[in-house]
Amino acid sequence: MLSLFTLSGLLCAQGLDTELDRKATELLQKMTIAEKIGQLSQVNGEYGQITDGMRIRVREGKIGSVLNEVDTKTINELQRIAVEESRLGIPLIFARDVIHGFKTIFPIPLGQAATWNPGLMEKAARVAAVEAASVGLRWTFAPMIDISRDPRWGRIAESLGEDPYLTSELGVAMARGFQEDNLANKGAIAACAKHFVGYGAAEGGRDYNSTNIPENELYNTYFPPFKACVDAGVATFMPSFNDVNGAPASGNAWLFRKVLRQDWGFGGFVVSDWESIRQLEVHGVAAGQEGAAQQAIMAGIDMEMASGAYAAYLQKLVESGAVPESVINEAVRNILRIKFQLGLFENPYTNPSDFPALLSPEHLAIAEEAAMQSCVLLKNEKAALPLPEGRFKKLAVIGPLADDPYEQLGTWIFDGDPQHTVTPLAALDNALQGQAETHFVKALETTRSYDQAAFPEALQAAREADAVILFLGEESILSGEAHCRAELGLPGAQLELLKAVAQTGRPVISIIMAGRPLALGEALEYSDALIVAWHPGTMGGPAIARLLLGLDAPSGKLPVTFPATSGQIPIYYNHKPTGKPATEESYVHIDDIPVRAPQTSIGNTSYYLDAGYKPLFPFGFGLSYTRFEYSNLQAATPMINSGDTLVVSVELANTGDFEAEEVAQLYIRDLVSSIVRPVRELKAFQRVRLKPGESRKLTFNLPVEQLAYYYPGTGWKVEPGQFRLWIGGDSNAELNTTFEVR
Ligand code: GLC
């Protein structure tokens, strides 16, 4: 279904008028070149102040948008100047990075992705939008839908993981949550699909680094979530900082004029990233800021964030003829259309009392549910979890992240307030009142501490307890923008702490809070149970407590592969088969090679002598407190034609004794194709709740178009031939069948 924006984009492209275009064109015709360029400039707020300079620039129509101003009084005053004192009264649009919540903070996006629950993520984005709109913000720079296969990259924390289909489904859900079905709705805010494109492929996992992505990888891996957001009507786009095959995104006309506008029919507007236009000079593709401004506007970057190249040079570029005024007009029209859609002309001001309270019980309940569903159980032995109700009297709660209201909120929480955080320690104390007691020992000041002075106290607490809950991981600042790590182990002396606690012989349950997959091999060895809670947000404590006490079962599934060591990176599930894939039989460990063994070319396959070829945990993996069994997988029709929908069914049974939710995942593989295809591709998933002993027939409808693959030179097509299809609880699912596309 074409979205309104796509439709308007197409209509504009065909020159057909829509009401939006008529209004935008009518206003545009009244504007001077200076006022037009004003709309293309976004400046940073002054944190509750309004300097004379800002006041004058707004009054002169030289600013189109303000970011990072969240004081409603200031927002309304700036808006009043724009609407009542400037010549044409064009309202400002106020923006902020509302990445995973405004005041009510949800799990970091990578954690939310572990819920594999689009409906829940839409609700979370809705809450974030309403809270942001209540202070006067009408635009967020989210969802971030960069495919991320490199956990060294700090911004994997903001992503929705490594898979194009999962990221598309969840990214669209977030955009819908922010925008609702009508941008003019009171609590709706414009979303922003970012960072277009390939930012997650930064070489070496180092932020802002170069990316070299061949055409088929761009179309099959990195483009799909962005195309899905365009088709869903996302209002804005943002370029990435990186150069894409030598052309920085912020000056890349192929990306923004050809692919985004011409091919995809995007009808919203594009805002640069922070000073990314200025950086074209640093990239070495523009001689000075005038050249940067010219390159960016000609490439289709409508609005400049933070730097001032447009404000300084666009008028001169138009007057010299270097930039046609029609290009400026198109950029202004794109922006005005969104401002009209947001209803800013009719309702430019914000009255917070028109909105529900921030951090309302309803908002916090959704945040708790999201945190609970984001937790991924990676190990559970010796019946360590859930804690046996009534059969324990004392819990040792140990570690730097057990009671840290700030760290559990995660990266990119500009407006999150730690005073509202409920930590795991507080939640356990609250839940265990009268039944059992907790003994808290932080043991390490921060996750990076090496000072073991408090270890004896921690070990004493462990010895006196029935079980130990150990909260380890990364402080929030160790992930996020520009915070990349070359080694993925637990920082500081956390592993030493875990090993020492394990020596006491008490059951050890490790809870890992982090903004990325960590190399948890040793942590697993010394833990009886281990849960990854990411950075779970405001209500992370009650969510974790519910799982520990068995009030609910973990149901999260990994949205990204967990490598055994950093050296395995990049490692992801939807890799190509190669001509010599490793197998259990072919793999030889470094310690097993005979001394002076002769070099041979026979029987070799693709693996590391010292790290094998399997990750620690595969994409889609996550345990439960119960067992789920899949059976009776059937494709309704073993042969399908183009235009058909393949109907597949499978029986799912809860064969354990705990009510729980499972995310059933459907993967396919094209067995013979004209270019190499991934060994598996996620094409559908369903979250299902089953009582102990309950079983259910699940049906998946797979339109043949979803099997399409992009082939350089021929574009998207579904190739006839044999496909294999798996359904199971992770990307190593074994139950499979085949079908044929005619
Ligand atoms: C940052 C980020 C971008 C963010 C913008 C505004 O540098 O790259 O994701 O939206 O600046 O804060």
Side-chain angles (χ1 to χ4, degrees):
M1 189 273 279
L2 277 181
S3 73
L4 184 57
F5 285 125
T6 310
L7 184 63
S8 65
L10 289 178
L11 291 172
C12 296
Q14 294 153 11
L16 297 180
D17 226 348
T18 64
E19 176 56 15
L20 273 182
D21 279 303
R22 187 190 58 72
K23 289 201 289 190
T25 303
E26 205 172 272
L27 178 51
L28 190 68
Q29 283 158 354
K30 299 173 189 164
M31 295 171 75
T32 64
I33 183 66
E35 288 164 337
K36 291 175 183 177
I37 292 166
Q39 287 302 307
L40 312 187
S41 297
Q42 179 183 65
V43 300
N44 206 42
E46 297 168 318
Y47 305 101
Q49 311 298 321
I50 302 179
T51 58
D52 291 346
M54 176 74 92
R55 193 175 288 277
I56 291 165
R57 290 175 69 193
V58 173
R59 188 179 298 136
E60 290 176 350
K62 292 195 169 141
I63 294 174
S65 171
V66 174
L67 79 157
N68 295 329
E69 181 55 72
V70 292
D71 172 68
T72 307
K73 196 165 59 60
T74 307
I75 286 175
N76 279 334
E77 174 55 10
L78 285 168
Q79 193 68 296
R80 187 198 61 74
I81 298 167
V83 169
E84 298 174 20
E85 295 184 13
S86 78
R87 192 175 74 85
L88 292 171
I90 300 172
L92 300 165
I93 178 170
F94 291 88
R96 180 73 153 177
D97 290 283
V98 183
I99 305 301
H100 53 107
F102 180 69
K103 276 293 176 198
T104 301
I105 301 299
F106 295 88
I108 53 172
L110 191 61
Q112 289 187 52
T115 68
W116 290 55
N117 191 334
L120 184 53
M121 287 183 66
E122 182 173 345
K123 273 192 210 165
R126 187 92 298 286
V127 167
V130 165
E131 292 196 348
S134 76
V135 303
L137 299 169
R138 297 303 308 276
W139 180 20
T140 178
F141 303 122
M144 188 274 218
I145 47 179
D146 298 307
I147 296 298
S148 308
R149 292 171 164 172
D150 191 333
R152 293 172 298 182
W153 187 47
R155 303 199 76 167
I156 194 169
E158 304 166 54
S159 81
L160 299 171
E162 72 189 38
D163 181 73
Y165 178 74
L166 182 65
T167 298
S168 300
E169 293 294 296
L170 301 181
V172 163
M174 288 180 86
R176 254 201 313 258
F178 289 131
Q179 299 190 169
E180 291 193 331
D181 54 4
N182 180 347
L183 277 179
N185 289 355
K186 193 160 52 98
I189 64 176
C192 181
K194 73 182 186 182
H195 306 80
F196 195 54
V197 72
Y199 192 10
E203 206 163 81
R206 281 197 311 283
D207 205 359
Y208 315 123
N209 208 352
S210 290
T211 63
N212 295 292
I213 309 172
E215 184 186 352
N216 64 310
E217 271 301 288
L218 274 175
Y219 279 90
N220 289 307
T221 300
Y222 294 94
F223 279 171
F226 290 94
K227 174 66 166 57
C229 279
V230 169
D231 292 345
V234 75
T236 67
F237 253 64
M238 183 187 292
S240 52
F241 284 119
N242 52 294
D243 71 272
V244 185
N245 304 325
S250 297
N252 194 319
W254 178 74
L255 281 179
F256 288 92
R257 292 267 181 228
K258 167 76 170 65
V259 174
L260 182 63
R261 296 277 181 195
Q262 196 178 315
D263 295 350
W264 296 354
F266 175 61
F269 74 84
V270 177
V271 62
S272 79
D273 201 336
W274 187 277
E275 298 194 331
S276 67
I277 290 174
R278 180 186 64 74
Q279 290 161 19
L280 291 175
E281 186 178 0
V282 184
H283 276 285
V285 293
Q289 289 301 296
E290 183 173 341
Q294 178 178 4
Q295 198 175 125
I297 196 70
M298 295 306 286
I301 311 300
D302 299 311
M303 184 185 279
E304 177 176 18
M305 178 192 289
S307 44
Y310 279 12
Y313 296 104
L314 278 187
Q315 179 149 354
K316 180 183 170 198
L317 287 161
V318 169
E319 285 160 358
S320 71
V323 171
E325 186 156 1
S326 60
V327 168
I328 304 293
N329 292 345
E330 198 46 43
V332 176
R333 201 196 315 273
N334 292 335
I335 292 164
L336 293 179
R337 270 203 305 263
I338 299 296
K339 288 188 173 182
F340 279 119
Q341 293 222 19
L342 284 164
L344 286 171
F345 288 83
E346 294 78 18
N347 302 300
Y349 305 113
T350 300
N351 178 357
S353 56
D354 290 349
F355 294 84
L358 300 172
L359 295 148
S360 68
E362 297 73 22
H363 293 178
L364 293 173
I366 295 169
E368 181 176 333
E369 187 61 26
M372 208 264 301
Q373 292 195 21
S374 72
C375 288
V376 184
L377 178 63
L378 296 182
K379 178 181 180 182
N380 188 18
E381 290 176 2
K382 301 178 195 162
L385 283 178
L387 294 168
E389 189 181 353
R391 282 190 284 123
F392 64 91
K393 282 295 164 222
K394 183 179 271 193
L395 285 181
V397 178
I398 298 173
L401 296 174
D403 191 38
D404 192 319
Y406 174 81
E407 297 302 349
Q408 84 181 45
L409 295 180
T411 186
W412 283 103
I413 44 111
F414 281 168
D415 306 287
D417 187 340
Q419 71 172 329
H420 300 290
T421 301
V422 184
T423 65
L425 177 67
L428 282 168
D429 284 341
N430 183 35
L432 293 173
Q433 267 168 7
Q435 293 172 50
E437 59 176 286
T438 61
H439 181 172
F440 171 53
V441 181
K442 194 171 187 180
L444 289 163
E445 196 42 44
T446 74
T447 62
R448 286 171 286 168
S449 302
Y450 286 96
D451 178 356
Q452 304 191 18
F455 278 26
E457 184 192 356
L459 299 184
Q460 188 52 33
R463 276 189 282 272
E464 292 166 1
D466 300 300
V468 181
I469 322 287
L470 205 45
F471 289 86
L472 307 170
E474 287 180 333
E475 291 144 77
S476 59
I477 199 60
L478 300 183
S479 60
E481 184 169 350
H483 292 110
C484 306
R485 293 181 63 203
E487 296 301 337
L488 301 178
L490 285 169
Q494 297 186 89
L495 195 53
E496 288 74 5
L497 173 62
L498 169 55
K499 288 178 179 176
V501 167
Q503 294 304 320
T504 66
R506 316 307 301 153
V508 176
I509 294 145
S510 295
I511 311 289
I512 306 296
M513 290 190 191
R516 58 162 54 86
L518 295 180
L520 296 172
E522 282 202 271
L524 274 168
E525 209 178 308
Y526 291 93
S527 307
D528 297 302
L530 187 140
I531 288 178
V532 169
W534 316 98
H535 286 120
T538 305
M539 297 301 281
I544 292 167
R546 268 168 72 180
L547 297 176
L548 292 174
L549 301 175
L551 303 178
D552 223 310
S555 58
K557 297 283 188 178
L558 296 180
V560 64
T561 299
F562 270 51
T565 71
S566 320
Q568 287 187 328
I569 295 165
I571 185 166
Y572 46 93
Y573 91 95
N574 47 356
H575 60 80
K576 306 298 185 342
T578 76
K580 305 180 85 173
T583 61
E584 284 300 338
E585 299 67 42
S586 68
Y587 167 46
V588 178
H589 190 274
I590 192 166
D591 297 338
D592 301 334
I593 298 176
V595 173
R596 294 188 179 72
Q599 178 65 43
T600 166
S601 305
I602 297 164
N604 295 326
T605 60
S606 173
Y607 60 81
Y608 300 100
L609 292 174
D610 51 355
Y613 61 98
K614 289 180 182 173
L616 191 62
F617 293 103
F619 173 81
F621 181 84
L623 299 173
S624 175
Y625 290 158
T626 192
R627 282 180 314 289
F628 287 104
E629 283 177 21
Y630 293 80
S631 61
N632 197 14
L633 168 58
Q634 287 188 1
T637 51
M639 300 274 274
I640 49 171
N641 297 308
S642 65
D644 283 356
T645 292
L646 178 73
V647 179
V648 180
S649 63
V650 71
E651 200 68 27
L652 177 65
N654 176 345
T655 56
D657 49 15
F658 209 103
E659 181 172 344
E661 296 194 10
E662 166 74 337
V663 179
Q665 303 155 41
L666 184 153
Y667 297 86
I668 60 107
R669 177 179 180 178
D670 185 345
L671 297 178
V672 179
S673 60
S674 44
I675 61 168
V676 172
R677 294 280 295 264
V679 293
R680 293 199 186 194
E681 296 174 67
L682 177 73
K683 291 296 176 186
F685 57 89
Q686 281 183 40
R687 180 177 263 268
V688 181
R689 188 173 192 92
L690 294 178
K691 292 184 176 14
E694 184 184 1
S695 70
R696 193 176 303 168
K697 180 179 175 183
L698 306 183
T699 302
F700 293 86
N701 297 312
L702 188 59
V704 164
E705 291 69 46
Q706 257 202 271
L707 302 174
Y709 203 67
Y710 181 91
Y711 297 90
T714 53
W716 289 99
K717 66 180 179 180
V718 177
E719 285 199 315
Q722 285 284 331
F723 284 74
R724 189 168 297 283
L725 180 147
W726 296 262
I727 295 183
D730 64 49
S731 55
N732 285 342
E734 291 175 0
L735 188 62
N736 69 86
T737 184
T738 58
F739 64 93
E740 186 173 344
V741 174
R742 260 201 287 263

